[in-house]
Amino acid sequence: QVQLVESGGGLVQPGGSLRLSCVASENIFNFNIMGWYRQAPGKQSELVATINVGGITNYADSVKGRFTIYRDCAEKTVWLQMNSLSPEDTAVYYCNAQIGRQNYWGQGTQVTVSS
C-alpha cells in the first residue's frame, strides 16, 4: 500500500514562505504524476502543481511564479516551495500520486496565511 506523508505546513504572515514535503513509501519514479492539491474552507479542491515522471511541471495560474514543485528521487520526496504567500493560499494541502488510474493521497497539512 502506497503511503504519502506530508509535512511543513503552519502559520505564516502574508508575503512569507513555506516549504511542504511529501515523502513516499516507494520509489517516486513508480508514479506517473505526483502533485499537490489544496482545499480551502467552503471551497472545492483545486490542483496546485504537478510533476510527471519526466520532470515536466504544471501549475495553477494562481500560483505561477510563486510556487515551485520539485523532487528528490533519492529521498523519495516531492517538495512544494511556496513564496509570496497571501491569505488566499490558506488551505489544507494534500500530496497526490498517480499510478495509471490509481490515486493515492496523503493526510494533508494545514497552511494558514495571516497577520
Side-chain angles (χ1 to χ4, degrees):
Q1 180 70 17
V2 173
Q3 292 186 336
L4 304 171
V5 179
E6 303 109 329
S7 62
L11 174 63
V12 64
Q13 292 186 342
S17 298
L18 282 175
R19 187 176 69 164
L20 306 182
S21 66
C22 172
V23 181
S25 58
E26 59 184 73
N27 187 342
I28 61 176
F29 279 130
N30 291 343
F31 305 117
N32 304 115
I33 296 176
M34 293 189 73
W36 292 91
Y37 290 73
R38 66 186 181 186
Q39 187 165 23
K43 295 186 178 180
Q44 290 187 331
S45 175
E46 63 173 347
L47 179 149
V48 176
T50 61
I51 183 167
N52 71 8
V53 66
I56 296 173
T57 58
N58 181 53
Y59 296 93
D61 287 343
S62 59
V63 307
K64 282 181 180 177
R66 300 189 298 122
F67 291 12
T68 303
I69 186 170
Y70 60 101
R71 63 190 178 189
D72 184 327
C73 300
E75 297 290 332
K76 295 187 278 189
T77 301
V78 173
W79 306 92
L80 183 68
Q81 177 67 44
M82 306 186 294
N83 299 328
S84 301
L85 286 162
S86 72
E88 288 69 36
D89 297 313
T90 295
V92 179
Y93 285 69
Y94 297 91
C95 180
N96 170 264
Q98 300 176 26
I99 301 176
R101 295 182 178 182
Q102 188 71 41
N103 273 280
Y104 301 95
W105 296 92
Q107 81 284 358
T109 185
Q110 176 71 46
V111 171
T112 302
V113 185
S114 175
S115 55

